[in-house]
Amino acid sequence: DQQVKQNSPSLSVQEGRISILNCDYTNSMFDYFLWYKKYPAEGPTFLISISSIKDKNEDGRFTVFLNKSAKHLSLHIVPSQPGDSAVYFCAALNSGNTPLVFGKGTRLSVIA
Amino acid sequence: DAGVIQSPRHEVTEMGQEVTLRCKPISGHNSLFWYRQTMMRGLELLIYFNNNVPIDDSGMPEDRFSAKMPNASFSTLKIQPSEPRDSAVYFCASSIALRSNQPQHFGDGTRLSIL
């Protein structure tokens, strides 16, 4: 049973436009959420996170939104750049109990 | 700063052979995680350690898989005997503490191919 779901395996966006990556979770005990970015032949690298006490966290071109009632979070990248092309993993944890649970990832392609 | 170091980067071996993957976590990190990435299942957590002690190995797929952490700076994941379906990318990650909001830091992985 997948606790963290990324239902879109891939996404293509034109350079300069907004990229929106979505993630749904089923475990209401999750209280911290992270996004990781992965380039080919490299390990995932941490991108941005959000605590369940917030509904938005922004870092430069990257913003994560959390909707707890819908058990949904999204990552917005604006403007998108070709260097953003990578696989993005959503991850969640219950900080008092479990380590990270990852989604299967969404491959983002930013087209110049 | 040195990140998480994994070796080898690539391993190609025949079915039935023993495979040993190695990981050096970031100095000062107390928790270490082994993951397997496949197209079908994404990133699966296999086992994790805290202060060199295995905490949960429920993600290990079979008894053919074993992991050790003899000290704070070294861990191994062993598959014996290996099978073609074990082919995947194996990642090691470390973090400051087990139940912490500090993110995990990943190595660049070992791409394993079992023929």
Side-chain angles (χ1 to χ4, degrees), chain B residues 24-36:
Chain B
K24 177 178 168 53
I26 292 172
S27 177
H29 282 195
N30 294 324
S31 300
L32 182 140
F33 307 81
W34 281 101
Y35 291 88
R36 177 171 71 174

Side-chain angles (χ1 to χ4, degrees), chain A:
Chain A
D1 182 30
Q2 257 193 297
Q3 298 187 67
V4 178
K5 299 179 185 179
Q6 294 177 257
N7 291 321
S8 297
S10 62
L11 174 68
S12 287
V13 172
Q14 283 228 300
E15 182 179 6
R17 306 295 287 265
I18 184 170
S19 295
I20 300 176
L21 296 99
N22 293 303
C23 178
D24 297 295
Y25 61 95
T26 57
N27 188 340
S28 58
M29 298 301 291
F30 287 145
D31 58 6
Y32 202 72
F33 305 88
L34 303 89
W35 285 93
Y36 280 77
K37 177 178 178 179
K38 184 184 177 306
Y39 291 119
E42 295 183 10
T45 55
F46 169 71
L47 185 59
I48 192 169
S49 62
I50 188 167
S51 164
S52 61
I53 63 173
K54 295 186 174 181
D55 55 19
K56 176 183 173 181
N57 188 26
E58 190 172 350
D59 183 2
R61 296 184 297 113
F62 302 90
T63 303
V64 56
F65 295 92
L66 175 63
N67 182 336
K68 281 195 300 182
S69 61
K71 295 193 181 69
H72 177 83
L73 63 154
S74 61
L75 174 68
H76 292 212
I77 308 172
V78 57
S80 302
Q81 299 174 354
D84 297 329
S85 298
V87 177
Y88 289 79
F89 290 97
C90 171
L93 67 85
N94 175 348
S95 54
N97 191 12
T98 61
L100 281 179
V101 178
F102 282 87
K104 289 190 178 181
T106 297
R107 181 178 301 279
L108 173 65
S109 299
V110 179
I111 304 160

Side-chain angles (χ1 to χ4, degrees), chain B residues 97-109:
Chain B
L98 182 59
R99 299 188 178 107
S100 161
N101 294 343
Q102 292 297 313
Q104 294 178 17
H105 297 260
F106 283 76
D108 285 337

